[in-house]
Amino acid sequence: MLRKIISAAAFALVLAAGTQADAAGGKAKVTLVFDQKLPNVPGKSMKAVLVEYEPGGQSPGHTHPKSAFIYATILEGAITSKVNDGPEKTYKAGESFPEFPGDHHAVSKNASKTKPARLLAVFVLNTDETDLTTDDK
């Protein structure tokens, strides 16, 4: 089942020309690439975003909706992440990590100063959620 979800989201990357937003002064580009209500789970949707980091790029610390479960997969390069009070960890292409409802994503950055990095984040969350990320104040 999870393989089908990831495959559908990856396929959406190829087909979608989603909305785009910049974070961290243009050093990260976030594009919504998939948005689908779950027909067998009323009130829930699956959304996927492609996050593209320039060399040395990063996103500010942030949280996601309290209803959101997130599964992130590194597609290219390496990304350093820190969730809650856990250690900073660098994930390479092909590796993944979860974020659970209520988690704080303190660090999300390209581990390289010379090469780009990309990740696909797949969200399962309440359908009425419109803001996927709230930056720290």
Side-chain angles (χ1 to χ4, degrees):
M1 175 70 171
L2 184 56
R3 224 174 254 245
K4 286 182 182 180
I5 290 169
I6 292 170
S7 294
F11 183 67
L13 283 173
V14 175
L15 297 178
T19 57
Q20 298 181 2
D22 287 328
K27 293 195 176 197
K29 182 170 84 169
V30 180
T31 306
L32 180 67
V33 296
F34 187 80
D35 187 354
Q36 177 67 52
K37 289 181 181 178
L38 297 177
N40 60 337
V41 187
K44 294 289 184 179
S45 288
M46 182 187 321
K47 298 182 182 194
V49 295
L50 175 65
V51 182
E52 299 173 276
Y53 290 104
E54 296 176 0
Q58 62 184 350
S59 299
H62 58 273
T63 56
H64 300 287
K66 293 196 185 302
S67 69
F69 172 79
I70 302 157
Y71 181 78
T73 299
I74 312 309
L75 302 174
E76 175 186 5
I79 293 174
T80 300
S81 180
K82 175 181 168 73
V83 177
N84 297 325
D85 294 327
E88 280 193 19
K89 182 170 180 194
T90 298
Y91 297 90
K92 296 176 183 170
E95 295 182 318
S96 338
F97 62 91
E99 286 185 56
F100 297 95
D103 279 352
H104 177 248
H105 201 165
V107 175
S108 184
K109 64 184 180 182
N110 187 339
S112 173
K113 302 268 189 232
T114 60
K115 297 177 183 174
R118 297 183 307 139
L119 73 82
L120 177 68
V122 178
F123 292 67
V124 175
L125 72 169
N126 291 346
T127 298
D128 62 359
E129 296 286 1
T130 56
D131 295 326
L132 297 182
T133 303
T134 301
D135 291 344
D136 293 350
K137 302 212 186 272

